[in-house]
């Protein structure tokens, strides 16, 4: 059994979006400042927060886009999202000339220096929840759809408290590191769709179903990945329950073919993880490397899981000393010398 | 690029972690945590929870271990480090670094490692009954800057308030044997006489059952707690000197105290005993015997100065040093004394070095005139048990050899004549007079010294012997002197160390050369 | 650095091994004596660090037989005694009470024995005249030997 704990720790730090984090924080702050300075938006009770994987701190290197959820807490039922989005785009254009794109349901601001974009989504209150425009008509009216993006952040925080590597040590949460590893595996093993959020939700369900209690990242990853592979088979037929909204399922752009392909690939990945867990050190390391792949969208692709110094890339152990101990057994039978 | 020996260690650490993982330990890549069942003497099998951390020094040192939960309500007492920071547990001291040979690193076997932790818990449960390790400093905050000196003999049996004085170097303080009598009270508002600050309170803690970790523990153990607390609060007491014992093994804990509200802060200082007994401890087993032996060193140049130093450090106190020369700058590189003694008589220069050891030089006699005649040489041999001839001067040597032969075998008075020959290739010492049946090694003709080997002017020829050969010769000479002075008489009449083989036998073999014993016919 | 010649087995023989063999051969004369060579493999070099005698109760002037049970016991004891981490079985030795080299039978026996090991085995024959004849076999095939003393 090879759990290679120190190397998993390095793998996790290799997918940590440390440089992106500062840039994302700064970009978010800039956009928020502009929005909060606009009179109309202030009247509508503007209150932007970070959402998305970055907001939930489960993003991995590279972070390409940051989602800002602009809550308009005083907006009424008569709010016409088309107009408001036009207004937001205009306000932002003034501060970020030439970098603003009015999209179908949101406004995107480009930060080319950081190779980053910020997506601004507007929302109006709806009971305890929020609604975002789903489809905006030509007249600026829209159909609204219920959403609860902050709920996922709450669930993530809670799950990271529930699943601990060390009992009683709240600093040893494994849920967040596992979601990051699962997102990295998706990037490596699945073509484009389903996306990272879909897999994050899968991971959430896998944890809820299994309530795992393991002693290493390697073991957690192996059992969670297997459960996700199993879940994916059912998801093709039944859809994926949205843990933030009762009775709703997660929308995905993935076609049934893409879902089936993803299920097959993740099954393969889960089998690889099981083999890695059962293998001995160097062979295990090579399998973990294959599973976790390379960092995506980085200048150079870097292997996420390090190869231990004492291993060769083919999974054999480096022969650091050329000495072979003399045999511990004599030849069988008897040998006659004349 | 990692070298292969490094990757060997990484591989070992990985497999070590994996073994602990198989035993149920959780591992986040930094620390391993898991349950450790152990047998409590009263409660039977209990489960402790421990945290293990492999440091970069593994496998040369054991992994760090901290007890998160001992599984019972016992107090962790001895053999545990002070936590590195608040809220962290202290590391267990599982193996004594000084006595554990690194080539035998038992912690490399995880099971042996865990057994050691179990043993530690079991010992803690029974309060370490056979333990005599005196390391109370370990359990307190440290004052790494201050060294506290004290004379254990002079303070023996005394307790109370004592004056302190600055030590020989900055950041050392000495607890003197002078008491501060009377009552200390502030002169005015918050004012204390300057001589009443930084005093030391000397006391006994007796046999220590659990190590003090803070002021309250120390306070609890003192006899006159109220008085000490008052003096600390006044700022009068700056140090505590606490004698204690562990299973009868006596030791001293020195603590620097700073008054504070609500309690004073205390920090353990390194401390050292200045008593004669402690300072003489490393002088060798013959030191006491040598204290009353009279030894003269004739010639305290290169060889003689180092020999005088070795003899004095070995315990010889009745030492007579004879040399008529002054120390020249060119001497210093091969002499005990330093350049600040240039111009002084060599005997004075050596004397000041001997005095610097801190031992009593009151019985060391100096003579800054060379031996004049045979009469004086005979007198010197008669009045000294051993005379070391370190003159490297044929005339003086023959004078002393003759004096030794006149004084005669059987009186026990001897002359050891030591020299360096052939520019350090050979070092040699000969004893006079010979005992029955003894003979010396044959003489070796010295190479003539070239004309260029003199200092400016027409002084004595200068030998180009390197300093190492001089010190080796001093060592050889002292071995023979001490052998005679302690009347062991186990060494032969000549000893030569051939450091570079010569052409003439028997000086053609590397190593120690002694004379062949004279064979006697027994069938007379 | 010289490129290693794959067909040549370098054998390093420690003086301890030579001494043990010489003493045992002299003691057993005029019968044959024999036993195990202990050491390790360092790349393609065989290091003969020590030799131990294994008594063949039926030895004659022209035969010595290695019996598995006796030999294994002797090996286990020796490894425990020396406490050297690399020490193990690397071949056989026996003495000839005459001045003759390894026989056909000798060379065949070491070849057969070598089939069970990944590394080459060494055979040392100690001749009456003090000369030692050294052979090696790997995977059942004879090897050219270059021997050195250490």
């Amino acid at each position: 059994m090879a759990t290679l704990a120190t190397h998993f720790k390095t793998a996790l730090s290799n997918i940590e979006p440390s440089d992106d984090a500062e840039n994302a924080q700064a970009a978010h702050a800039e956009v928020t400042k502009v929005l909060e300075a606009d009179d109309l938006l202030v009247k509508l009770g503007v209150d932007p927060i970070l959402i998305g994987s970055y907001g939930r701190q489960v993003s991995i290197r590279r972070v390409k886009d940051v989602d800002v959820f602009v809550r308009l807490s005083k907006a009424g039922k008569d709010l016409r999202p088309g107009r408001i989005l036009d207004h937001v785009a205009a306000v932002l254009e003034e501060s970020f000339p030439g970098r603003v794109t009015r999209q179908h349901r949101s406004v995107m601001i480009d930060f080319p220096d950081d190779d980053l974009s910020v997506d601004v989504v507007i929302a109006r209150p709806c009971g305890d929840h929020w609604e975002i425009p789903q489809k905006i008509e030509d007249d600026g009216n829209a159909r609204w759809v219920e959403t609860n993006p902050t709920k996922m952040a709450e669930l993530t925080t809670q799950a990271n408290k529930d699943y601990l590597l060390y009992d009683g040590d709240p600093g040893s949460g494994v849920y967040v590191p596992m979601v990051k590893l699962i997102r990295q595996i998706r990037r490596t093993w699945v073509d484009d769709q389903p996306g990272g959020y879909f897999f994050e939700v899968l991971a959430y369900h896998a944890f809820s179903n299994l309530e795992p209690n393991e002693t290493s990242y390697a073991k957690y990853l192996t059992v969670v990945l297997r459960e996700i592979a199993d879940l994916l088979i059912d998801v093709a037929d039944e859809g994926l329950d949205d843990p933030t909204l009762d009775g709703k399922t997660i929308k995905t752009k993935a076609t049934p073919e893409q879902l089936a392909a993803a299920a097959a690939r993740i099954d393969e990945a889960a089998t690889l993880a099981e083999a890695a867990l059962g293998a001995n050190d160097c062979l295990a390391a090579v399998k973990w490397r294959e599973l976790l792949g390379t960092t995506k969208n980085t200048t150079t692709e870097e292997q996420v899981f390090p190869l231990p110094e004492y291993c060769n890339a083919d999974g054999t152990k480096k022969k650091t000393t050329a000495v072979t101990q003399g045999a511990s057994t004599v030849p069988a039978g008897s040998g006659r010398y004349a | 690029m990692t070298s292969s020996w490094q990757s060997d260690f990484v591989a070992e650490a990985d497999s070590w972690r994996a073994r602990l993982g198989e035993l149920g330990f959780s591992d986040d890549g930094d620390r391993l945590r898991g349950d450790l069942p152990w047998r409590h003497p009263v409660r039977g099998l209990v489960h402790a929870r421990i945290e293990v951390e492999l440091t970069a020094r593994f496998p040369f040192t054991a992994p760090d271990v901290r007890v998160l939960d001992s599984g019972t309500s016992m107090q962790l007492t001895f053999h545990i480090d002070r936590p590195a920071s608040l809220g962290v547990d202290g590391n267990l001291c599982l193996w004594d670094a000084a006595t554990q040979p690194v080539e035998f690193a038992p912690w490399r076997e995880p099971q042996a490692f865990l057994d050691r932790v179990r043993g530690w818990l079991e010992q803690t449960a029974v309060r370490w009954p056979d333990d005599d390790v005196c390391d109370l400093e370990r359990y307190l905050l440290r004052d790494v800057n201050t060294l506290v000196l004290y004379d254990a003999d002079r303070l023996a049996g005394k307790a109370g308030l004592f004056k302190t004085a600055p030590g020989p170097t900055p950041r050392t303080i000495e607890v003197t044997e002078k008491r501060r009598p009377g009552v200390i009270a502030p002169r005015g508002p918050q004012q204390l006489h300057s001589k009443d600050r930084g005093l030391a309170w000397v006391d006994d803690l007796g046999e220590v059952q659990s190590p003090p970790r803070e002021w309250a523990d120390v306070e609890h153990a003192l006899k006159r707690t109220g008085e000490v607390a008052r003096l600390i609060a006044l700022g009068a007491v700056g140090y505590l000197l606490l004698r204690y014992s562990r299973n009868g093994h006596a030791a001293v804990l020195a603590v620097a105290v700073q008054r504070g509200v609500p309690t004073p802060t205390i920090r353990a200082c390194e401390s050292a005993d200045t008593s004669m007994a402690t300072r003489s401890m490393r002088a060798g087993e013959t030191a006491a015997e040598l204290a009353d032996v009279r030894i003269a060193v004739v010639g305290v140049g290169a060889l003689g100065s180092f020999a005088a130093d070795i003899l004095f450090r070995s315990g010889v106190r009745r030492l007579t040093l004879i040399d008529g020369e002054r120390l020249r700058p060119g001497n210093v590189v091969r002499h005990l004394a330093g350049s600040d003694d240039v111009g002084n008589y060599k005997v004075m220069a050596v004397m000041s070095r001997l005095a610097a050891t801190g031992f009593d030089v009151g019985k060391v006699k100096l003579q800054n005139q060379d031996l004049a005649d045979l009469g004086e040489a005979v007198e010197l041999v008669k009045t000294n048990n051993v005379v070391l001839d370190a003159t490297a001067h044929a005339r003086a040597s023959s004078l002393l050899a003759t004096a030794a032969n006149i004084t005669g075998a059987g009186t026990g008075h001897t002359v050891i004549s030591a020299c360096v020959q052939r520019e350090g290739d050979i070092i040699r010492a000969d004893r006079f007079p010979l005992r029955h049946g003894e003979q010396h090694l044959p003489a070796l003709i010295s190479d003539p010294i070239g004309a260029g080997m003199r200092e400016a002017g027409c002084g004595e020829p200068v030998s180009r012997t390197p300093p190492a050969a001089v010190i080796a010769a001093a060592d050889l000479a002292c071995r023979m002197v001490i052998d005679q002075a302690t009347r062991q008489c186990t060494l032969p009449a000549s000893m030569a160390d051939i450091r570079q083989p010569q052409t003439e036998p028997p000086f053609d073999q590397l190593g120690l050369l002694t004379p062949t014993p004279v064979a006697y016919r027994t069938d007379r | 650095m010289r490129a290693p010649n794959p067909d040549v087995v370098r054998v390093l023989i420690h003086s301890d091994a030579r001494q043990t063999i010489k003493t045992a051969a002299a003691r057993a004369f005029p019968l044959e004596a024999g036993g195990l060579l202990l050491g390790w493999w360092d790349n393609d070099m065989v290091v003969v660090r020590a030799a131990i005698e294994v008594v063949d109760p039926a030895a004659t002037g022209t035969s010595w037989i290695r019996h598995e049970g006796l030999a294994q016991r002797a090996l286990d004891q020796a490894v425990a005694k020396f406490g050297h981490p690399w020490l193990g079985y690397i071949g056989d030795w026996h003495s000839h009470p005459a001045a003759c080299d390894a026989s056909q039978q000798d060379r065949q026996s070491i070849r057969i024995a070598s089939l069970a090991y990944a590394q080459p085995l060494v055979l040392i024959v100690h001749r009456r005249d003090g000369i030692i004849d050294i052979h090696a076999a790997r995977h059942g095939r004879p090897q050219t030997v270059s021997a050195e003393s250490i």
Side-chain angles (χ1 to χ4, degrees), chain A residues 103 113 144 169 191 203 209 214 217:
Chain A
Q103 293 182 319
D113 292 349
W144 292 82
D169 180 352
D191 291 334
N209 296 351
E214 303 291 345
Y217 293 141

Side-chain angles (χ1 to χ4, degrees), chain A residues 1-7 9 165-169 172 214-217 219 281 308-310 317-318 320-321, chain B residues 1-2 4 7-8 10-12 14-15 17-18 21-22 24-33 49 51:
Chain A
M1 163 104 38
T3 53
L4 296 166
T6 55
H7 307 282
K9 197 176 170 61
L165 197 55
Y166 305 131
D167 296 342
D169 180 352
S172 70
E214 303 291 345
T215 56
S216 64
Y217 293 141
K219 291 180 189 169
D281 35 21
E309 295 92 322
Y310 51 90
K317 205 159 186 165
K318 273 186 193 162
T320 52
T321 154
Chain B
M1 184 76 194
T2 329
S4 65
S7 62
D8 269 357
V10 176
E12 174 165 353
D14 270 359
S15 80
R17 301 188 91 101
E22 286 161 20
F25 276 71
S26 297
D27 188 352
D28 71 351
D30 276 338
R31 302 155 303 157
L32 294 124
R33 285 185 185 181
R49 191 157 175 76
E51 179 174 88

Side-chain angles (χ1 to χ4, degrees), chain B residues 285-291 293 295 314 316 385-386 412 478-490:
Chain B
E285 287 176 4
T286 53
E289 200 178 339
L290 288 173
V293 177
I295 293 175
S314 303
V316 177
N385 300 72
V386 186
C478 288
R479 279 163 64 193
M480 286 186 84
V481 170
I482 291 171
D483 182 61
Q484 279 301 309
T486 56
R487 299 178 185 281
Q488 292 174 21
C489 306
T490 54

Side-chain angles (χ1 to χ4, degrees), chain A:
Chain A
M1 163 104 38
T3 53
L4 296 166
T6 55
H7 307 282
F8 258 98
K9 197 176 170 61
T10 309
L12 277 166
S13 84
N14 285 346
I15 54 172
E16 198 55 37
S18 36
D19 291 341
D20 296 337
E22 278 177 32
N23 296 336
Q25 200 69 45
H28 168 246
E30 271 186 71
V31 171
T32 298
K33 198 173 148 200
V34 171
L35 296 178
E36 285 180 341
D38 180 69
D39 289 343
L40 175 60
L41 292 175
V42 170
K43 270 186 206 152
L44 290 170
V46 63
D47 182 14
I49 55 160
L50 270 174
I51 56 163
S53 65
Y54 177 74
R56 290 188 299 280
Q57 298 176 339
V58 292
S59 61
I60 57 174
R61 232 172 121 218
R62 280 264 290 122
V63 176
K64 297 281 282 184
D65 41 42
V66 177
D67 297 330
V68 177
F69 192 63
V70 181
R71 294 175 292 193
L72 301 173
S73 54
K74 294 175 188 162
K77 285 283 171 198
D78 56 343
L79 184 74
R80 292 169 68 171
R83 292 236 181 117
I84 261 309
L85 278 177
D86 287 343
H87 178 75
V88 166
V91 167
L92 291 170
E93 180 65 36
E94 219 168 284
S95 299
F96 307 100
R99 288 159 52 189
V100 178
T101 315
R102 162 76 154 80
Q103 293 182 319
H104 198 51
R105 296 191 301 170
S106 62
V107 179
M108 188 181 83
I109 309 104
D110 201 21
F111 287 81
D113 292 349
D114 303 332
D115 190 18
L116 188 77
S117 65
V118 174
D119 244 9
V120 173
V121 182
I122 56 158
R124 69 177 190 188
C126 164
D128 293 344
H129 299 158
W130 296 88
E131 284 178 336
I132 55 171
Q134 190 180 35
K135 185 162 183 277
I136 300 173
E137 311 293 342
D138 292 340
D139 62 0
N141 283 318
R143 284 203 285 137
W144 292 82
V145 61
E146 206 179 345
T147 183
N148 194 356
T150 56
K151 179 73 178 173
M152 196 61 201
E154 288 162 25
L155 293 177
T156 300
T157 307
Q158 188 55 46
N160 206 45
K161 284 181 191 162
D162 290 345
Y163 303 104
L164 301 173
L165 197 55
Y166 305 131
D167 296 342
D169 180 352
S172 70
V174 288
Y175 177 77
V176 164
M178 282 309 124
V179 169
K180 289 182 181 183
L181 292 177
I182 294 291
R183 281 176 166 267
Q184 174 62 27
I185 290 169
R186 185 204 72 84
R187 285 189 186 179
T188 307
W189 289 74
V190 176
D191 291 334
D192 192 33
Q193 288 296 330
Y197 183 67
F198 194 83
F199 270 82
E200 185 181 335
V201 171
L202 279 169
Y204 183 81
H205 285 303
F207 266 90
S208 307
N209 296 351
L210 296 172
E211 299 190 355
N213 186 12
E214 303 291 345
T215 56
S216 64
Y217 293 141
K219 291 180 189 169
Y220 270 109
L221 183 60
T222 307
V223 297
V224 168
L225 198 56
R226 171 55 65 198
E227 180 67 12
I228 289 175
D230 292 350
L231 281 172
L232 267 170
I233 297 168
D234 302 336
V235 161
D237 302 331
E238 299 159 17
L240 181 62
D241 287 341
D242 185 343
T244 69
L245 293 167
D246 284 342
K248 301 275 170 66
T249 56
I250 298 287
K251 300 273 181 296
T252 173
K253 289 181 201 153
T255 62
E257 292 74 27
Q258 282 175 318
L259 272 177
R265 288 288 280 161
I266 295 301
D267 178 61
E268 210 181 312
T271 307
L272 182 63
E274 285 154 359
L277 194 63
N280 275 328
D281 35 21
C282 288
L283 204 51
V286 170
K287 290 182 193 297
W288 292 124
R289 275 164 86 76
E290 191 188 342
L291 181 70
L292 291 171
T294 54
T295 52
K296 304 297 176 200
N297 303 322
T298 48
T299 3
T300 52
E301 288 203 352
E302 296 154 31
Q303 279 280 348
V304 168
F305 196 90
L307 188 67
E309 295 92 322
Y310 51 90
C311 298
N312 292 313
D314 65 357
T316 55
K317 205 159 186 165
K318 273 186 193 162
K319 215 169 175 187
T320 52
T321 154
V323 170
T324 310
Q325 189 190 347
S328 58
T329 53
V330 300
S334 44
R336 169 179 294 275
Y337 292 100

Side-chain angles (χ1 to χ4, degrees), chain B residues 114-134:
Chain B
L114 292 177
D115 284 346
R116 188 79 181 183
V117 179
R118 274 191 197 95
W120 189 97
L121 289 163
E122 283 156 16
Q123 282 294 305
T124 299
V126 296
R127 297 174 162 261
W128 299 91
D130 303 319
D131 193 32
D132 64 356
V133 179
C134 296

